[in-house]
Amino acid sequence: MDLHQKTQELNKKLEIISSRGKDLPFELVEHLEVLDRAVDQILNLLDTALEPRKAPVVVPEPLSASCLAPSNDIRVLLVEDNMVNRKLAMLILERVGCEVHVAENGAEGVEKFKVGGYEAIFMDCQMPVMDGYEATLAIRKLEAGTSSHIPIIAVTANAMKGDKEKCLECGMDDYISKPILPNDLQSAVNRWCSVNA
Ligand code: MN
């Protein structure tokens, strides 16, 4: 079985289901729950293939206010409309030490960005309501006149020539291609987040 082809087929079917709107009959919701658990099981099996996170160097220091911070996780925002990609990216990001918050479209992503507290944003490009390009433009507009610039990493299925340029033009900093690979996400986190902070 070709895993890539199989997951692409599954993706297409899920896209069809998600495009049918929110009023799902109860039986369908039940089936989706079962599918959700099955996907979780598959991800857990795949998990063993992921590289273990490098152990951070622990420097002993006296107890101070900074030690009482609630978490030293890297907080990132994942903006992705596709359920399977969202689950996969979340699982990988959590494995590499991130606390992941999710948004299911660009507009939701911009709202969560406004609340703040993220070190980076992983942004899908094709999304309903507001796509990743528009969302990035909106975020850069909000940052205009301030000294802040949140790293935005495009996660896109478009392998077309010129797509990378389009991402950079609208204010994204980096670019990852789908299918989402653990190593690609890990290197992006290493490049853009304070992994060793
Ligand atoms: Mn999408």
Side-chain angles (χ1 to χ4, degrees):
M1 184 173 75
D2 180 338
L3 180 65
H4 182 59
Q5 195 190 339
K6 193 72 200 167
T7 51
Q8 292 285 93
E9 281 170 25
L10 186 60
N11 253 335
K12 276 188 200 128
K13 289 176 189 167
L14 288 170
E15 294 279 7
I16 293 169
I17 295 170
S18 79
S19 69
R20 294 287 162 88
K22 284 183 176 167
D23 301 319
L24 297 175
F26 180 68
E27 316 89 84
L28 182 51
V29 173
E30 265 188 331
H31 284 308
L32 284 172
E33 298 286 340
V34 172
L35 178 63
D36 194 22
R37 281 198 295 277
V39 170
D40 276 339
Q41 280 172 1
I42 293 169
L43 290 174
N44 282 336
L45 289 171
L46 287 173
D47 196 23
T48 51
L50 299 183
E51 278 184 16
R53 185 188 178 192
K54 273 188 193 161
V57 181
V58 179
V59 182
E61 57 176 294
L63 203 64
S64 69
S66 66
C67 297
L68 302 174
S71 154
N72 55 4
D73 271 353
I74 305 153
R75 194 193 279 193
V76 300
L77 178 62
L78 171 68
V79 190
E80 164 69 64
D81 65 306
N82 180 281
M83 183 186 82
V84 173
N85 284 329
R86 208 161 52 228
K87 277 190 165 294
L88 182 60
M90 249 186 104
L91 183 98
I92 297 168
L93 287 168
E94 282 171 357
R95 281 293 176 277
V96 300
C98 296
E99 179 189 328
V100 186
H101 290 203
V102 296
E104 298 188 10
N105 62 62
E108 210 183 298
V110 174
E111 287 313 305
K112 294 213 166 164
F113 162 78
K114 282 185 195 164
V115 178
Y118 300 108
E119 284 197 34
I121 300 176
F122 288 88
M123 183 79 84
D124 180 28
C125 291
Q126 271 76 43
M127 287 182 288
V129 187
M130 180 190 273
D131 68 24
Y133 308 110
E134 287 176 76
T136 302
L137 287 170
I139 289 168
R140 293 303 179 224
K141 209 169 176 181
L142 288 166
E143 286 177 333
T146 74
S147 60
S148 50
H149 178 100
I150 191 164
I152 300 180
I153 300 113
V155 183
T156 177
N158 273 356
M160 270 157 42
K161 208 174 167 230
D163 194 54
K164 183 170 187 170
E165 286 69 22
K166 189 177 175 189
C167 289
L168 300 179
E169 265 165 33
C170 68
M172 294 175 180
D173 303 281
D174 202 355
Y175 180 97
I176 288 174
S177 309
K178 284 179 187 165
I180 296 166
L181 301 174
N183 283 344
D184 290 349
L185 276 182
Q186 178 150 38
S187 352
V189 169
N190 289 345
R191 265 197 301 283
W192 296 104
C193 302
S194 57
V195 178
N196 299 311

